[in-house]
Amino acid sequence: MIDESRFNCPFELTMEVIGGKWKGLILWHLLDKKVLRNGEMLRLMPRITQKMLTQQLREMEDNGLVSRVIYEQVPPKVEYSLTSHGEALRPILNQMIEWGVEYARDNNITIACSSK
């Protein structure tokens, strides 16, 4: 859980909760697909390791961005989706996507995937 006494401003807290190499990408995929299983996320992000994905999902779950549902079946089934706090990031992430598209266009950078 977040130690609220260590932040000097809201931006610093925001970057702690959604910052890093993988959290934004995980959020983006969950915004797009609504519900994803672990294996699906690994296929969507081939450069992330299982250990890192698990760590990032746990942190986002602890921070109230991601919900995890475990189904009692064999083999076990676990699905991830966004909470209302995670869903509230939609306009921010869409703006970041738009910025990335414009930046790539202005700098002749090829992007392998398309934006939503």
Side-chain angles (χ1 to χ4, degrees):
M1 209 49 138
I2 298 289
D3 175 11
E4 58 203 53
S5 65
R6 62 178 232 211
F7 299 101
N8 295 315
C9 70
F11 184 81
E12 189 177 2
L13 172 60
T14 301
M15 291 309 297
E16 175 70 21
V17 174
I18 67 168
K21 181 175 182 176
W22 298 109
K23 287 180 184 173
L25 192 55
I26 293 167
L27 290 167
W28 183 72
H29 284 301
L30 284 171
L31 281 169
D32 185 40
K33 304 292 186 196
K34 307 293 185 224
V35 175
L36 286 170
R37 294 176 66 183
N38 191 287
E40 293 169 319
M41 284 189 253
L42 287 171
R43 281 189 290 283
L44 291 168
M45 299 173 284
R47 291 189 294 239
I48 194 170
T49 64
Q50 176 64 63
K51 180 181 176 183
M52 181 57 69
L53 177 60
T54 300
Q55 176 186 337
Q56 298 297 286
L57 286 167
R58 283 188 184 148
E59 286 178 20
M60 290 191 297
E61 185 180 8
D62 288 345
N63 292 328
L65 299 178
V66 171
S67 174
R68 177 176 53 144
V69 177
I70 303 168
Y71 295 92
E72 298 291 332
Q73 65 183 53
V74 177
K77 178 180 171 183
V78 179
E79 292 182 338
Y80 295 91
S81 60
L82 295 178
T83 64
S84 59
H85 284 295
E87 185 65 39
L89 291 165
R90 180 179 296 279
I92 296 166
L93 294 172
N94 283 336
Q95 285 272 295
M96 292 174 75
I97 291 165
E98 289 173 23
W99 183 90
V101 168
E102 185 176 318
Y103 184 85
R105 185 187 63 238
D106 292 347
N107 291 281
N108 295 318
I109 298 170
T110 301
I111 299 175
C113 70
S114 62
S115 62
K116 292 191 229 176

